[in-house]
Amino acid sequence: MRKTTPSLNALRAFEAAARHGSFARAAKELFVTPSAVSQQISALEKRLGIPLFDRVKQRIHLTEAGSSYRLALVAAFDRIESATVDLISHGGGASLRIGALPSLANDWLIPRLRRFIRQHPTIRLQVVSLDLDFASAERSPDLEGRLIDIGLFYGDGHWPGLAAERLMEERLIAVTAPLTHVDDGTPATQLIEELPLLQHSTRPESWDAWFRAQKQPARTARGPSFEHFHMLVEAAKAGLGIALVPDVYVQSELRLRTLVPVSEFALVATRAYYIVFDPRREGEPAVRKFRDWLLVEVGLDGAA
């Protein structure tokens, strides 16, 4: 055992007591006596030198330190349980839990995963959506308390406690359904005046930046707003107006002409897409292989 790591029994006793708010209920769950739970927790507090519970009239309440410690232990126990279920279900081998923004997963990552699976058939993938509080200005890919092994995220590349490696820039282009007046040479400025400008609800400044970069006067975005880029893409295909979307999300639509560009101009965003992970896990084979594969895929896009 590592020198600073308490016994697993003590940690389980503490987590159960914290979850139930009771030594007696924790003891019932763990099939031991309440006094055994109390002794385990007292020994844990003595080892740590920090009280985890306030004990008042035979009631227990987590201290601030205890509450913080419990959250970290819950994440650790969840990871142990996930690894155990994975081992039992698949008989060993590497697994990789990938978190990505919904549009990036749907429109860029998933269509390419077949190549990774072909190259690394023993690595089992689980792709999940990164859950973010879009109402907050401080959005960070916390990787679900490190339960996600590697994430794909958009931002400035600086997130406390996480390693970030630039994957690709974002180039925003204006697209719409192939209406007659797009194909007949109608100027882009006229189309933008005539058609609704669809909005990305978490990036309301995008159209202003697009006009400003071309030294054009700003126009009011008159169309409905959507939370994710894949919704914007579908809205544009449905003929609701002009969408400003990353070009990597609409390559197949442009090729099949279910969407057409309104203008040749592309706005390069100030932020970019990044590969994010716990720096302590950088050397893990599955993490390293997936990171290397992502960078190769971006290189193939650039060479296409």
Side-chain angles (χ1 to χ4, degrees):
M1 180 179 291
R2 299 177 182 179
K3 291 182 180 179
T4 58
T5 304
S7 75
L8 183 59
N9 284 341
L11 295 177
R12 290 176 63 217
F14 164 68
E15 190 280 328
R19 178 162 30 89
H20 289 294
S22 162
F23 288 169
R25 288 196 290 271
K28 185 175 181 181
E29 176 183 314
L30 299 173
F31 300 102
V32 296
T33 65
S35 101
V37 170
S38 178
Q39 289 171 14
Q40 288 276 12
I41 293 172
S42 294
L44 176 61
E45 290 175 317
K46 183 177 180 181
R47 181 187 180 105
L48 297 173
I50 299 171
L52 301 173
F53 288 104
D54 288 325
R55 297 160 174 84
V56 181
K57 295 182 180 179
Q58 297 190 345
R59 290 181 176 273
I60 59 171
H61 304 280
L62 281 168
T63 64
E64 185 176 348
S67 181
S68 177
Y69 196 40
R70 175 183 174 268
L71 290 175
L73 288 180
V74 167
F77 283 136
D78 285 347
R79 191 170 186 85
I80 291 170
E81 182 176 4
S82 176
T84 303
V85 170
D86 191 62
L87 178 66
I88 293 171
S89 301
H90 300 98
S95 63
L96 197 67
R97 184 176 170 89
I98 304 156
L101 296 173
S103 296
L104 190 60
N106 289 346
D107 300 322
W108 188 84
L109 176 63
I110 291 173
R112 291 163 167 77
L113 279 182
R114 185 176 178 184
R115 290 196 283 268
F116 180 84
I117 293 169
R118 189 184 302 123
Q119 294 171 30
H120 304 285
T122 61
I123 298 178
R124 295 183 304 280
L125 301 179
Q126 182 182 7
V127 180
V128 301
S129 174
L130 281 177
D131 293 324
L132 302 171
D133 179 9
F134 283 104
S136 169
E138 295 297 326
R139 298 192 293 271
S140 177
D142 68 356
L143 303 186
E144 293 185 8
R146 304 303 199 265
L147 291 178
I148 290 173
D149 300 303
I150 195 164
L152 300 180
F153 195 69
Y154 177 80
D156 61 9
H158 301 288
W159 298 288
L162 292 174
E165 185 164 358
R166 187 183 175 97
L167 179 64
M168 59 184 170
E169 67 181 9
E170 181 179 78
R171 301 174 70 254
L172 295 173
I173 62 173
V175 294
T176 189
L179 306 173
T180 302
H181 51 290
V182 174
D183 290 328
D184 67 8
T186 303
T189 52
Q190 182 177 332
L191 288 175
I192 290 171
E193 288 288 350
E194 293 177 355
L195 298 176
L197 304 183
L198 307 179
Q199 303 173 67
H200 193 304
S201 60
T202 65
R203 300 212 208 158
E205 76 289 347
S206 294
W207 276 113
D208 284 346
W210 194 79
F211 288 120
R212 191 166 54 250
Q214 300 174 82
K215 296 182 172 53
Q216 295 183 18
R219 295 164 176 78
T220 303
R222 302 178 301 276
S225 65
F226 301 88
E227 185 180 19
H228 299 298
F229 276 123
H230 65 266
M231 296 178 179
L232 271 176
V233 170
E234 292 304 315
K237 287 165 63 177
L240 297 185
I242 301 174
L244 200 56
V245 297
D247 58 356
V248 295
Y249 290 175
V250 290
Q251 291 306 300
S252 62
E253 286 82 2
L254 293 174
R255 186 171 59 254
L256 297 172
R257 288 190 61 78
T258 53
L259 286 175
V260 294
V262 170
S263 164
E264 294 182 359
F265 177 74
L267 174 66
V268 178
T270 56
R271 293 178 288 177
Y273 293 100
Y274 286 84
I275 306 166
V276 293
F277 51 88
D278 186 331
R280 295 170 296 183
R281 305 188 60 198
E282 184 174 7
E284 293 184 11
V287 171
R288 179 171 42 78
K289 288 175 181 177
F290 193 73
R291 169 254 182 208
D292 291 347
W293 173 79
L294 286 169
L295 295 175
V296 169
E297 284 294 313
V298 169
L300 292 176
D301 286 348

